[in-house]
Amino acid sequence: MIIAVASGKGGTGKTTVSLNLAKVARRDVQLLDCDVEEPNAHLFLKGALQSREEVSVPVPEADDSLCDGCGECSSFCRYNALATIDKGVLTFPELCHGCGGCIRVCPNKALTETGHRIGVIETFRTGNITLIHGCLDVGIAMAPPLIRAVKSRLREGATAILDAPPGTSCPVVTTIRDVDMVLLVTEPTPFGLHDLKLAVDMIGELKIPCGVVINRVGVGDGRVHAFCRERNLPVLLEIPDDRQIAESYSRGELIVDALPEYRPHFEGLLDRVLGFNKTAGSDCHAYL
Amino acid sequence: MKVAFTTSGITLDAPMDTRFGRAPKFLIYDMETGGFEVIDNEQNLNAPQGAGIQAAQTVSRTGTACLVTGHCGPKAFKVLQAADVAVYTTDAATVAEALDLFRAGTLSRAQSPDVEGHWA
């Protein structure tokens, strides 16, 4: 089963939930940190680095001796990654999405594919957890190809937890597309509610079953809870606004290790998630 | 010699647009005849990326030798340079004022882009 942990708002606790879920799993689990612009799960696991691979996207390279400046390639490219001037063609690899269309439409076979590095994938191993994360190079603006490369490491049939980037844009959609369920982490504040609504709408479009984790319960107001009731969104875990949790986080420790009293709650969450299906309704609320 | 100006209007007294890639129109002025034509750049206003690259192709295809605009970013500049279009920047308010400055030789030719990519 593939579970994605997402949120509209940043800083609600996606990584905290992902890590603690992975830690209480009773068998091997893959943890994919898909927040490739700012991966941070490795800071909490301290696993041994097992491998490091470069990731490139295919971009066109022009042979000026074959190009007659016809402009087929640049008029085909919707990302404006090529420019045709009368002397030939210029390429802008940083704008290229790697579709390969320009190479196909070139009547003179003047374009060939070459690799443009966008980042690395690193794999760490500790205990039952294999952590795979993508790390986008500085200056690269396109996260989705690297996220897809990270997801290509998913082992068939294995339990996997995908820590998504925040928001509701392409990197998030790339992460959660094709997963079995999404856990939306939010907080009971007006910001949390606003961005939860956006995330719920996005997931509705993608037709993926989802449940909610409400973090820092005790701050804010009751509107997130009311929204979940209204929309029939199952609240699968509530984590209280406990200073000890923040303290253990600041030391780079997992809640289930530093504060064992919370362990059963994350085990319960994992059980509910693994037993989750589309028909699950509001009756599977669980309160801490 | 043809000179291109970035503008939002269709006449010489129209305001200059300080942007190049996302300028609504290009006014292409013929220095020999004093005539001009206006080319639309509307399709670039909402381009997700690469507006400067597209605009530079559009301008270079008109046979323009010089471009007078407010600012020019790195990708557009690269294309213009490759197409032998000289870039001049000005803060003149209207196309006519920019044309006078250009004709008087008071505008200096840009040797490099003057703004970062995605400058708005």
Side-chain angles (χ1 to χ4, degrees):
Chain A
M1 181 173 187
I2 303 171
I3 306 139
V5 182
S7 74
K9 184 182 175 299
T12 54
K14 287 179 299 298
T15 304
T16 299
V17 169
S18 303
L19 284 163
N20 285 284
L21 269 185
K23 192 66 194 249
V24 299
R26 280 171 285 271
R27 56 190 188 118
D28 279 359
V29 61
Q30 285 188 307
L31 176 60
L32 271 53
D33 192 344
C34 295
D35 191 1
V36 300
E37 288 172 85
E38 206 167 21
N40 63 342
H42 63 292
L43 300 175
F44 296 85
L45 286 181
K46 303 163 189 82
L49 180 67
Q50 301 229 301
S51 68
R52 189 165 194 275
E53 298 153 80
E54 289 192 5
V55 176
S56 299
V57 291
V59 299
E61 191 171 50
D63 180 342
D64 293 338
S65 67
L66 295 174
C67 176
D68 64 1
C70 72
E72 289 286 338
C73 57
S74 50
S75 61
F76 177 84
C77 182
R78 61 176 296 196
Y79 298 107
N80 296 327
L82 305 108
T84 307
I85 48 174
D86 50 2
K87 282 187 229 154
V89 65
L90 296 175
T91 60
F92 294 86
E94 64 275 32
L95 300 184
C96 175
H97 286 222
C99 76
C102 56
I103 293 162
R104 280 172 179 254
V105 301
C106 177
N108 302 312
K109 300 199 179 346
L111 294 170
T112 49
E113 223 165 58
T114 180
H116 177 64
R117 185 188 140 134
I118 58 167
V120 294
I121 292 180
E122 292 177 321
T123 304
F124 304 85
R125 174 85 198 182
T126 172
N128 65 316
I129 302 170
T130 302
L131 169 66
I132 303 168
H133 79 186
C135 191
L136 202 65
D137 285 345
V138 171
I140 299 288
M142 259 183 302
L146 183 54
I147 295 170
R148 283 193 290 273
V150 171
K151 286 179 71 177
S152 73
R153 269 64 174 177
L154 282 169
R155 267 200 326 271
E156 188 125 6
T159 302
I161 298 165
L162 276 53
D163 188 8
T168 52
S169 64
C170 296
V172 182
V173 173
T174 306
T175 302
I176 69 175
R177 178 171 280 160
D178 308 324
V179 304
D180 296 308
M181 88 154 298
V182 176
L183 268 182
L184 287 175
V185 186
T186 188
E187 59 182 33
T189 63
F191 273 144
L193 175 62
H194 179 271
D195 291 354
L196 174 65
K197 286 178 177 171
L198 295 176
V200 168
D201 286 349
M202 168 189 67
I203 286 168
E205 292 284 328
L206 294 165
K207 299 185 173 52
I208 304 170
C210 78
V212 176
V213 172
I214 308 179
N215 193 7
R216 302 190 61 213
V217 171
V219 301
D221 56 35
R223 284 182 286 171
V224 164
H225 290 84
F227 173 75
C228 291
R229 274 195 302 275
E230 239 168 70
R231 299 288 290 267
N232 211 25
L233 292 165
V235 177
L236 300 180
L237 181 68
E238 295 190 44
I239 305 169
D241 185 39
D242 180 346
R243 187 184 166 90
Q244 293 181 92
I245 292 177
E247 286 173 359
S248 66
Y249 179 90
S250 72
R251 290 191 298 266
E253 295 167 0
L254 301 187
I255 300 174
V256 296
D257 292 335
L259 305 163
E261 64 269 33
Y262 284 111
R263 193 177 178 93
H265 299 291
F266 281 96
E267 288 170 345
L269 174 63
L270 184 66
D271 289 342
R272 283 189 284 280
V273 164
L274 293 175
F276 197 84
N277 61 58
K278 258 183 184 168
T279 58
S282 52
D283 56 334
C284 52
H285 276 57
Y287 298 97
L288 259 181
Chain B
M1 183 179 74
K2 286 182 182 173
V3 182
F5 296 85
T6 49
T7 177
S8 50
I10 55 168
T11 57
L12 286 175
D13 56 5
M16 285 286 286
D17 195 305
T18 55
R19 301 165 302 176
F20 172 57
R22 294 180 197 273
K25 290 177 171 58
F26 302 120
L27 187 149
I28 315 288
Y29 187 84
D30 190 320
M31 298 298 281
E32 279 77 46
T33 66
F36 64 87
E37 59 171 330
V38 176
I39 294 176
D40 212 43
N41 190 41
E42 299 281 351
Q43 81 284 353
N44 254 357
L45 292 183
N46 297 316
Q49 58 178 28
I53 295 168
Q54 272 293 328
Q57 282 184 102
T58 304
V59 166
S60 76
R61 282 192 195 123
T62 63
T64 290
C66 300
L67 164 72
V68 182
T69 185
H71 299 282
C72 184
K75 297 192 186 78
F77 194 86
K78 184 176 165 186
V79 177
L80 292 165
Q81 205 171 27
D84 291 326
V85 178
V87 179
Y88 296 81
T89 55
T90 177
D91 54 6
T94 66
V95 174
E97 283 173 35
L99 175 59
D100 287 344
L101 292 170
F102 178 79
R103 194 179 267 137
T106 51
L107 299 181
S108 57
R109 183 175 174 176
Q111 298 303 315
S112 61
D114 73 322
V115 289
E116 294 285 309
H118 296 172
W119 178 87

